[in-house]
Amino acid sequence: PAARRQRLAQTANLNQEQLDFLKRQASPMNNELVENYISDYRLPMGVVTDLLVNGRTYLVPMVTEEPSVIAAANNGAKRVRLSGGFTAPKQTHQVIGQVVLVDQPDHHERTKQWLLDHADQLLQVANAARPSMKARGGGARQVKVRELPGYLSVDVYVDVQEAMGANSVNTMAEAVGHFLSDQGFHVLTAILSNLFVGSLQTVTCHVTNEQLATKTMAGSQVAQRIAQLSELAQVDEFRAATHNKGIMNGIDAAVIASGNDWRSVEAGAHAYAADGHPYRGLATWQTDKQGLRGQLTIPLSLGIVGGSIKLSQQSKINYQLSQIHSSAELAAVVASIGLAQNLAALRALATTGIQAGHMQLQYRSLALSVGAKDDEVDAVVAALQKLDHVDRQTAKQALEKIRR
Ligand code: NDP
């Protein structure tokens, strides 16, 4: 890394101060993790406190650069806690290894029959490729065959236990692929699917009208509007994309802090949002006499072992903070964060609008971006709060005024 930094300093004209900064941020272990490593890139980490899931209260570390995310998650979590908490039944945790055969539609029936007749053998091949998974109670469980135009997908469902399972399942899928090639099939590819329908996590909650009310709006009115926003996300993909982005604000932040692969979770979530129907909102809300019932179902294959989880001191500390001890528990907590995040966003949209709360927090980033020092940020934010119109120019002026 030191040699790379030196070379980059020459090509990109980095000065000594910048070089020293990159060196200070670097950690020897991360040089083992990625190619061409030069330094670490830090993101802010905060916590959601008092997230009540299945009767247990969690402290959840969250990593994000977006100012409003942790504030909103805490807000949603508190309203649900005071209404009774989240219920998230234990998920099944299976990941699909997809072995795709090139096969003409008029052969499909015959090929499919052969595959299903040999399903036990395919499971044995998969398990022989990763015997440790079966030994600890998991492993390949089921084979399904899906017909596609010109292809057949042999989907091997693998119980991956406490890991996310990508590498384990890829190894198994490739073994099945080699076996099928040897049997004379034309294998196009063998890899896991990130559409984790074998690892769906559902979470529900009930929020009382009391917890939904604002100073100017009755709880039942807020509930009504949130239910309409939820309905809108079921019928309009433009709204659904933003609805789901809000959910993923919380989910990604918790997933990153847990050391898991958030790209995998993102891919799965959005694919599931359009699985067999037009793209739609992942979380839904319905009114009842006492308030709102919320539900989120999302595919989540998360690990508490494997990959780079618990390799760093930071990752170990995060698990000590959250006291999460299984992948199923992690999925339940992460899904609950997603629903809390969605509640906070919809409640803001249904009442004051999203910008009121957002901008208060954005002002801090804006102050920093125009050069305010730590001890100047509060004063700049206070000045901006008094203005009708805020942009970089007005932020600069506010800073200059403070410094005068
Ligand atoms: P690993 O490849 O690290 O495999 C899991 C490891 O955990 C194995 O070494 C396994 O041991 C060990 N382990 C210990 N205890 C348990 C337990 N109780 N249950 C399960 N495993 C246990 O990780 P994954 O297979 O989970 O793959 C995750 C990584 O794959 C992530 O880094 C991800 O970014 C990456 N990835 C993602 C892809 C995608 O999403 N499309 C594609 C490719 C990679 P043993 O060896 O004895 O089984």
Side-chain angles (χ1 to χ4, degrees), residues 130 132-133 136 160-170 191-192 194 196 261 263-264 305-308:
R130 200 81 188 219
S132 50
M133 207 51 101
R136 59 171 70 93
V160 291
Q161 300 276 291
E162 300 302 335
M164 176 254 182
N167 286 323
S168 316
V169 171
N170 282 346
I191 187 169
L192 89 153
N194 280 88
F196 299 109
D261 179 341
R263 288 87 53 206
S264 157
V305 293
S308 57

Side-chain angles (χ1 to χ4, degrees), residues 161-195:
Q161 300 276 291
E162 300 302 335
M164 176 254 182
N167 286 323
S168 316
V169 171
N170 282 346
T171 304
M172 291 172 152
E174 285 187 2
V176 173
H178 290 312
F179 172 78
L180 289 175
S181 279
D182 291 347
Q183 304 299 313
F185 293 103
H186 181 176
V187 177
L188 179 65
T189 189
I191 187 169
L192 89 153
S193 168
N194 280 88
L195 178 47

Side-chain angles (χ1 to χ4, degrees), residues 322-339:
S322 69
Q323 287 296 312
I324 286 173
H325 299 293
S326 73
S327 61
E329 194 181 6
L330 180 58
V333 168
V334 165
S336 302
I337 287 279
L339 196 53

